[in-house]
Amino acid sequence: MKYTWTLSFCSVALTTSLVAAPAAEEALLARLPEIFAKSAAHYKALDAAAAPLAISEKEVGKGWDKSKALMPHGFNRKTRQLDMRTIFWWTAGHFPGSLWYLYEATGDEFFKTRAKAWTETLAPNAKVTSNHDIGFIMYCSYGNAKRLLKTDEYDALITSTADSLCKRFKPELGLIRSWGMLDETKDFLVIPDNMMNLELLEEAAKIPGGEKRFADVARSHATKTMAHHFRADGGTYHVLNYDQRPGFHGAVQEIRRGQGLSCETAWSRGQAWAIYGYTMMYREAKDPAYLAFAEKVTDFALNHPNMPIDGVPYWDFGAPGEERDTSAAAIIASGLLELSKYVKSPDKAAKYRAFAVKQLTALASPEYFSEGDEIGHWLLKHGVGHKPGGSEVDTPLDYGDYYFLEALLRLKKE
Ligand code: GLY
């Protein structure tokens, strides 16, 4: 149904693949109520298990310090315990964000109440200047709260977070420092994940009375990253170390493997952040360079010879046969559903949308979607956090669930 307009532009050769797409999409759309109902049941169980653990044992009875609160993050498959982490951990906004998406998907007031309660534990992040992740943390949580509750109650916190994030911006380089302290002079480390923090800056600039400099910083960072962080084929490096000495004007002094397999391959989640990040930046800035770049980094991933047939990538594009990363698939699917609305070529739009549908159909299958408490009620199995660091390999990841739910909602809304 949605592709009728597309077919009139297509050559006969393309028609076969495009005809298949609407049927797959209709089938997935028909399953949405069931997928959201199962997800809601999982997250009710997660919330019940996590709530008593939200304050660390050490704090109980001490008139507890709010900055010591904990947030559900993942699942330890050996001990079968819920993995609770500090509210300053980079993923702390994703669990409340998923609760907000479940509220949006089901209308169940339980999710509104719980999403609000978990979101509000994150307030101390607004003043943090020691990492770039506060954009993620505060936008997935408070950003969704603002959108769904249609409230300005959180504007001051969002603005304060944007101000803190901008303290990591170095105008001489035009970049936000991803890792490292503000006074670090030797290294200036940037990762493509940082693209995801820019949405909070764009939103903060739009708050009535909001500062234009927030959007200026976001656009400067996106443009500089576009110039340096990718190979000619559109594949991403993970960590770039820029030279910040006066006179060196941000030359790249070192490339690091980071969470990827090597400096020559593309780490799948880094590529996913780039696809999503440049699509989002095109939405906000309407700069055609961002759109063209979003297509370039997308085409690298979708046309890669090591992309599996179900669209769930190996954890690194250079690691065929190793673990898949469901989080990368979910981020790409959500990004593609948005990008398909902006690309000028109807064929490309149809291809991107069909790819996202294929990924989401796979993620919603028993191969990837959990049953009962097999992974402590998180939704998606088989995520990879940091394989070279030996951490979180073949495990559920809170951000995988978040972008999976976001993508399903994007599919439903259109
Ligand atoms: N930002 C860290 C990651 O994607 O693992």
Side-chain angles (χ1 to χ4, degrees):
M1 199 170 58
K2 289 193 168 65
Y3 287 79
T4 316
W5 57 271
T6 305
L7 292 176
S8 62
F9 287 91
C10 289
S11 68
V12 175
L14 276 167
T15 306
T16 317
S17 61
L18 294 178
V19 166
E25 185 167 332
E26 294 302 332
L28 184 57
L29 283 168
R31 284 197 57 211
L32 285 185
E34 166 219 333
I35 300 168
F36 284 134
K38 277 188 180 167
S39 302
H42 274 314
Y43 267 66
K44 281 190 176 176
L46 261 177
D47 177 73
L53 308 173
I55 306 169
S56 91
E57 296 256 315
K58 281 188 270 168
E59 290 299 308
V60 176
K62 277 200 208 163
W64 73 291
D65 169 356
K66 288 204 168 61
S67 71
K68 302 278 171 53
L70 301 176
M71 182 66 79
H73 162 75
F75 182 65
N76 184 323
R77 285 170 56 235
K78 282 203 188 97
T79 61
R80 295 198 53 77
Q81 297 296 309
L82 190 56
D83 180 359
M84 301 288 290
R85 300 212 178 168
T86 158
I87 53 158
F88 301 107
W89 183 246
W90 76 273
T91 71
H94 291 111
F95 178 73
S98 290
L99 294 173
W100 284 119
Y101 283 148
L102 286 167
Y103 172 54
E104 190 173 5
T106 64
D108 183 340
E109 291 287 316
F110 168 87
F111 288 111
K112 181 165 94 173
T113 307
R114 298 306 296 148
K116 196 168 188 307
W118 286 107
T119 292
E120 290 175 358
T121 67
L122 297 173
N125 280 285
K127 296 282 178 213
V128 166
T129 58
S130 58
N131 69 70
H132 69 158
D133 297 317
I134 53 172
F136 257 125
I137 296 168
M138 299 299 265
Y139 194 71
C140 299
S141 53
Y142 286 99
N144 276 311
K146 175 174 167 58
R147 180 178 66 84
L148 290 170
L149 302 181
K150 298 185 179 34
T151 176
D152 56 10
E153 183 186 349
Y154 304 123
D155 286 2
L157 266 181
I158 292 172
T159 302
S160 167
T161 309
D163 183 58
S164 300
L165 186 54
C166 286
K167 293 202 163 65
R168 298 183 67 76
F169 180 70
K170 196 160 174 98
E172 299 87 331
L173 273 64
L175 288 160
I176 298 168
R177 187 194 292 267
S178 296
W179 292 342
M181 302 310 282
L182 291 179
D183 58 359
E184 162 67 54
T185 52
K186 188 169 160 284
D187 299 324
F188 190 101
L189 303 173
V190 179
I191 56 177
D193 325 29
N194 206 341
M195 291 298 302
M196 303 298 284
N197 295 303
L198 308 182
E199 196 166 6
L200 177 126
L201 294 179
E202 291 284 351
E203 289 304 320
K206 284 186 258 174
I207 285 173
E211 297 179 51
K212 179 180 167 294
R213 74 179 168 106
F214 296 149
D216 292 342
V217 164
R219 292 164 199 195
S220 169
H221 182 89
T223 301
K224 292 284 170 166
T225 295
M226 190 163 68
H228 298 294
H229 221 111
F230 300 85
R231 303 181 195 89
D233 63 4
T236 186
Y237 300 110
H238 191 203
V239 187
L240 288 193
N241 188 0
Y242 289 91
D243 193 334
Q244 56 180 318
R245 285 173 296 171
F248 287 81
H249 298 294
V252 175
Q253 59 179 351
E254 186 193 10
I255 299 170
R256 296 188 188 173
R257 178 193 66 182
Q259 283 162 259
L261 176 72
S262 74
C263 294
E264 287 76 46
T265 59
W267 172 51
S268 299
R269 196 163 56 255
Q271 198 71 30
W273 295 139
I275 292 167
Y276 189 113
Y278 280 98
T279 301
M280 176 277 295
M281 283 307 295
Y282 175 68
R283 179 219 305 148
E284 297 300 328
K286 300 287 179 292
D287 180 341
Y290 294 154
L291 178 60
F293 201 71
E295 291 182 47
K296 181 172 178 165
V297 292
T298 296
D299 292 342
F300 172 90
L302 270 51
N303 300 332
H304 198 285
N306 292 336
M307 175 61 89
I309 193 74
D310 65 2
V312 180
Y314 297 104
W315 70 277
D316 187 289
F317 282 97
E322 297 189 16
E323 293 82 2
R324 307 291 192 93
D325 179 13
T326 48
S327 76
I331 298 158
I332 293 173
S334 190
L336 285 179
L337 288 173
E338 181 169 17
L339 183 57
S340 67
K341 294 192 302 185
Y342 306 145
V343 292
K344 305 289 179 264
S345 154
D347 292 349
K348 223 173 194 191
K351 178 182 163 184
Y352 288 172
R353 195 169 172 91
F355 198 93
V357 167
K358 178 172 80 169
Q359 291 179 302
L360 294 171
T361 303
L363 293 176
S365 76
E367 176 72 23
Y368 300 110
F369 192 90
S370 75
E371 197 55 53
D373 73 345
E374 74 182 305
I375 49 168
H377 291 289
W378 296 97
L379 306 182
L380 296 185
K381 301 181 272 189
H382 308 312
V384 174
H386 186 352
K387 184 161 178 180
S391 134
E392 296 198 290
V393 178
D394 192 15
T395 198
L397 296 165
D398 49 0
Y399 41 98
D401 285 10
Y402 175 87
Y403 291 101
F404 174 65
L405 292 171
E406 180 183 88
L408 292 176
L409 279 166
R410 285 181 172 185
L411 189 74
K412 181 183 165 193
K413 277 186 219 157
E414 286 153 19

